[in-house]
């Protein structure tokens, strides 16, 4: 793609999300979502094969439907409150419709079906943008309307998302689908605590984005999209096998690493609000996630995965230089002692 | 009839939407889009917005739909689907019509209708006064406000249109 046009389109994606996050008028928010959607379509279609076109079409259809539902909720809110300012939604019907629309945009169950298919059909870099940047805008709106969201619907979607994210990722060998199911599960954790303490939602979003960025960049570094090709990284750059191990265990939520911080805080906040069964269920279902992360680490860094002999002598031109990778790796594994700093997110 | 003109136009609006969402060939979809655009323009004009209504006719029907019609005519197939050619299309069309007829009868018969929001029968659809202050027209002041206080909206929508063109060129360019 022409670099100038690519830069313009990428800047428009950023501009769309910025407009969503900083507007106070519902119509501008809708405009921001549409601008974001419009501009990310050619980024998803960077390579011109039928796979990417199908993935972009699926993404466009689901997100456009979600935008229409959002517009309907905005108009019902207007009819019942007479004003366009963003604050809590004044009508229960409008609140439910808006929650469903934003859940479709995020990929929460029962609207999660597009996430693995779209993530699998596009390149690794586009998948990176899809699973990290595109989650910011809907989450910011959920944060702003959180006082008026129907708790039953929100918690049902959250628990089902964690379940689907864990269970669905078990049978996958394609790395992009694994990241997609991991995204579904993390979105579930984020929305579970939204009604109780939205600051923790933002904390979880921050840590999740850091870890997902790290994982995708490690995959891009070793140009691997399947478990099998990831298991050959010991041959190309042996250091990244250790880094993949650490980052994956952090995504699974194991204690001395950063990924434990949001899960710990969320469970603590939920138990403070006297719900015991819910965080127990969530923690148990996060084990499913941990299982397939550990399976990846087993084949990548803990064993030499069986392969033919010529695969054991891989050769590549030059190592890709990804500047942001080392700080991200450090941040996604060592941030746990900084937990008291989460008060800055208020 | 003139008191209920907005209601009648709204019914025709919904019926033409049913007409193209039951997915006949795009040519026939464009045909009912013309009808729905014209009827929508009529609704806006009845609320006192003569400028905006004529703008819809000029830009939407006279610009975008003409271009759409020409491109569809270039890409049409040998036997385009009409509403009665395919059982599925006809079924969806009749289902939509049936639901609209039932809704209209419900609105006409009962005193108060409360589907998502309440309105009292057909009376709410009739326009008794345009609701403006009588000194200046509301919709012209809206257009003026768009270009003065709403400069940010103009910038954002202008940028979106530019990026829309770039996106379409990128997507259809191929390799």
């Amino acid at each position: 793609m022409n670099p100038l046009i690519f830069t313009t389109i990428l800047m428009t994606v950023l501009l769309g999300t910025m407009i969503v996050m900083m507007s106070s008028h519902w119509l501008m928010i809708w405009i921001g979502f549409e601008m974001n959607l419009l501009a990310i379509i050619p980024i998803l279609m960077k390579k011109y094969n039928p796979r990417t076109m199908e993935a972009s079409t699926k993404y466009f259809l689901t997100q456009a439907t979600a935008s229409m539902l959002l517009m309907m909720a905005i108009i019902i809110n207007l009819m019942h409150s007479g004003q366009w300012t963003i604050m809590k939604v004044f009508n229960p019907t409008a609140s439910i419709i808006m929650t469903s629309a934003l859940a479709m945009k995020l990929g929460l169950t029962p609207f999660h079906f597009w996430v693995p298919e779209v993530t699998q059909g596009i390149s690794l870099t586009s998948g990176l943008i899809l699973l990290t940047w595109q989650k910011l805008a809907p989450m910011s709106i959920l944060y702003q309307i959180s006082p008026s969201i129907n708790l039953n619907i929100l918690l049902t979607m959250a628990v089902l998302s964690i379940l689907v994210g864990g269970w669905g990722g078990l049978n996958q060998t394609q790395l992009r689908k694994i990241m997609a199911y991991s995204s579904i599960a993390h979105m579930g954790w984020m929305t579970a605590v939204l009604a109780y303490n939205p600051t923790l939602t933002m904390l979880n979003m921050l840590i999740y984005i850091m870890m997902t960025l790290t994982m995708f960049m490690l995959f891009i570094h070793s140009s691997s999209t399947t478990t099998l090709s990831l298991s050959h990284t010991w041959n190309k750059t042996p250091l990244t096998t250790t880094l993949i191990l650490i980052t994956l265990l952090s995504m699974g939520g194991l204690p001395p690493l950063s990924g434990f911080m949001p899960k710990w805080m969320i469970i603590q906040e939920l138990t403070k609000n006297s719900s015991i069964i819910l965080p127990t269920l969530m923690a148990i279902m996060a084990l499913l996630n941990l299982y397939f992360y550990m399976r990846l680490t087993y084949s990548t860094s803990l064993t030499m995965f069986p392969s033919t002999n010529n695969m054991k002598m891989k050769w590549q031109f030059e190592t890709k230089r990804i500047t942001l990778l080392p700080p991200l790796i450090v941040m996604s594994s060592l941030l746990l002692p900084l937990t008291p700093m989460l008060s800055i997110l208020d | 009839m003139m008191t209920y003109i907005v209601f009648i136009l709204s019914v025709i609006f919904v019926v033409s939407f049913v007409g193209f969402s039951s997915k006949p060939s795009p040519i026939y979809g464009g045909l009912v889009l013309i009808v729905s655009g014209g009827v929508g323009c009529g609704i806006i004009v009845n609320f006192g917005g003569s400028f905006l209504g004529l703008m819809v006719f000029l830009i939407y029907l006279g610009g975008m739909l003409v271009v759409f019609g020409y491109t569809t005519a270039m890409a049409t197939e040998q036997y385009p689907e009409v509403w009665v050619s395919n059982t599925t299309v006809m079924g969806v069309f009749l289902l939509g019509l049936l639901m609209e007829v039932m809704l209209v009868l419900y609105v006409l018969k009962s005193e108060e209708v409360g589907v998502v929001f309440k309105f009292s029968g057909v009376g709410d659809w009739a326009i008794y006064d345009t609701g403006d202050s009588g000194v200046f027209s509301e919709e012209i002041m809206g257009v003026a406000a768009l270009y003065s206080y709403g400069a940010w909206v103009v910038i954002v929508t202008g940028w979106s249109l530019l990026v829309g063109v770039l996106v379409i060129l990128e997507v259809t360019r191929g390799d």
Side-chain angles (χ1 to χ4, degrees):
Chain A
M1 211 195 281
N2 185 356
L4 182 61
I5 299 193
F6 181 66
T7 313
T8 313
I9 291 180
L10 197 61
M11 289 301 120
T12 311
V13 174
L14 268 57
L15 180 64
T17 309
M18 288 289 117
I19 289 179
V20 170
M21 297 208 293
M22 62 178 202
S23 291
S24 52
H25 194 278
W26 275 118
L27 194 63
M28 288 306 289
I29 287 179
W30 182 83
I31 292 178
F33 272 122
E34 294 297 292
M35 192 193 280
N36 192 7
L37 172 63
L38 182 72
I40 205 174
I41 294 298
I43 295 182
L44 296 184
M45 281 179 61
K46 261 202 298 200
K47 297 196 190 121
Y48 290 98
N49 49 44
R51 202 76 197 279
T52 52
M53 290 194 225
E54 178 190 340
S56 317
T57 314
K58 278 184 197 160
Y59 185 67
F60 182 77
L61 286 176
T62 50
Q63 300 284 307
T65 312
S67 289
M68 281 196 285
L69 283 175
L70 181 70
M71 182 50 110
M72 179 163 175
I74 292 172
I75 294 185
I76 297 177
N77 185 31
L78 174 69
M79 289 213 61
H80 282 270
S81 65
Q83 47 91 30
W84 289 93
T85 320
I86 284 226
M87 46 174 83
K88 68 186 195 80
V89 178
F90 286 98
N91 184 19
T93 312
S95 170
I96 293 177
I97 296 178
M98 194 173 287
T99 313
S100 319
L102 294 169
M104 280 176 84
K105 285 198 176 282
L106 280 177
L108 288 174
T109 313
F111 309 113
H112 67 278
F113 292 99
W114 61 270
V115 188
E117 297 170 6
V118 173
T119 319
Q120 180 62 26
I122 56 185
S123 64
L124 274 173
T125 323
S126 307
L128 173 67
I129 299 180
L130 183 79
L131 287 183
T132 52
W133 184 260
Q134 296 293 91
K135 311 289 181 194
L136 282 177
M139 195 52 87
S140 74
I141 302 298
L142 272 178
Y143 182 94
Q144 287 173 333
I145 65 169
S146 61
S148 55
I149 303 182
N150 185 351
L151 200 62
N152 296 323
I153 290 189
L154 194 69
L155 288 179
T156 313
M157 287 201 289
V159 166
L160 285 178
S161 299
I162 302 175
L163 188 60
V164 163
W167 223 340
L170 283 181
N171 198 22
Q172 308 297 336
T173 53
Q174 295 282 335
L175 293 177
R176 287 169 287 183
K177 278 207 171 119
I178 286 181
M179 295 311 294
Y181 281 106
S182 134
S183 151
I184 298 174
H186 277 104
M187 290 298 135
W189 276 90
M190 282 183 230
T191 47
V193 80
L194 187 67
Y196 298 104
N197 190 356
T199 313
L200 296 179
T201 306
M202 289 296 124
L203 172 76
N204 199 349
M205 174 66 86
L206 192 66
I207 307 273
Y208 162 72
I209 288 182
M210 276 195 285
M211 294 191 297
T212 311
L213 270 178
T214 315
M215 279 320 297
F216 265 104
M217 285 187 183
L218 284 167
F219 294 155
I220 292 173
H221 181 78
S222 50
S223 305
S224 50
T225 51
T226 60
T227 312
L228 187 61
S229 56
L230 190 67
S231 66
H232 296 134
T233 48
W234 66 267
N235 199 349
K236 287 187 265 193
T237 40
L239 180 58
T240 56
T241 56
T242 318
L243 300 173
I244 289 176
L245 168 75
I246 296 179
T247 316
L248 275 174
L249 291 182
S250 180
M251 282 195 90
L254 288 190
L257 306 170
S258 320
F260 179 59
M261 190 196 324
K263 292 197 164 57
W264 169 27
M265 294 280 101
I266 289 176
I267 293 179
Q268 183 177 13
E269 199 63 35
L270 283 173
T271 50
K272 271 192 221 166
N273 281 288
S274 313
S275 71
I276 313 287
I277 303 182
L278 180 69
T280 314
L281 272 179
M282 283 163 58
I284 291 178
M285 293 189 291
L287 285 177
L288 293 169
N289 260 334
L290 185 63
Y291 176 71
F292 60 77
Y293 294 143
M294 281 189 59
R295 193 167 50 192
L296 270 184
T297 64
Y298 180 74
S299 66
T300 311
S301 35
L302 299 178
T303 55
M304 275 174 59
F305 207 62
S307 57
T308 51
N309 273 334
N310 58 352
M311 297 290 248
K312 295 194 172 83
M313 291 172 279
K314 281 211 143 167
W315 179 71
Q316 56 179 9
F317 270 110
E318 54 185 30
T319 330
K320 290 192 184 125
R321 183 196 304 181
I322 307 179
T323 318
L324 205 51
L325 191 53
L328 274 178
I329 293 173
V330 169
M331 283 207 292
S332 61
S333 39
L334 296 176
L335 274 185
L336 193 62
L338 288 180
T339 307
M341 292 274 291
L342 69 87
S343 52
I344 62 175
L345 283 174
D346 257 325
Chain B
M1 192 207 55
M2 272 314 280
T3 44
Y4 300 120
I5 187 72
V6 174
F7 183 69
I8 295 173
L9 290 177
S10 305
V11 171
I12 302 176
F13 195 63
V14 176
V15 166
S16 47
F17 265 59
V18 169
F20 71 71
S21 48
S22 53
K23 282 194 282 286
S25 158
I27 297 270
Y28 296 101
L31 184 67
V32 290
L33 261 183
I34 294 176
V35 172
S36 75
V39 161
C41 161
I43 297 176
I44 301 178
V45 166
N46 270 306
F47 275 100
S50 43
F51 174 65
L52 288 173
L54 287 175
M55 192 66 60
V56 166
F57 244 111
L58 198 66
I59 308 296
Y60 185 67
L61 295 184
M64 300 194 326
L65 213 60
V66 163
V67 173
F68 172 73
Y70 277 119
T71 50
T72 323
M74 280 200 292
T76 189
E77 57 220 1
Q78 200 180 10
Y79 296 108
E81 293 232 12
V82 202
W83 292 280
V84 295
S85 65
N86 189 1
T87 329
T88 319
V89 176
M90 187 164 73
V92 175
F93 183 54
L94 288 180
L95 182 67
L97 272 185
L98 180 71
M99 291 188 62
E100 176 64 14
V101 162
M102 289 199 329
L103 187 66
V104 166
L105 287 177
Y106 180 38
V107 170
L108 284 176
K109 289 279 172 20
S110 61
E111 272 307 308
E112 199 178 75
V113 179
V115 179
V116 176
F117 33 86
K118 292 191 190 312
F119 51 92
S120 50
V122 192
D124 254 0
W125 292 81
I127 305 172
Y128 297 114
D129 61 78
T130 47
D132 49 59
S133 67
V135 178
F136 43 78
S137 151
E138 224 173 43
E139 47 105 30
I140 284 289
M141 298 318 286
V143 175
L146 174 68
Y147 287 106
S148 60
Y149 303 111
W152 174 239
V153 182
V154 174
I155 295 173
V156 167
T157 43
W159 181 255
S160 306
L161 288 173
L162 173 68
V163 171
V165 170
L166 290 180
V167 162
I168 289 171
L169 286 177
E170 267 308 316
V171 167
T172 53
R173 189 167 61 105
D175 249 328

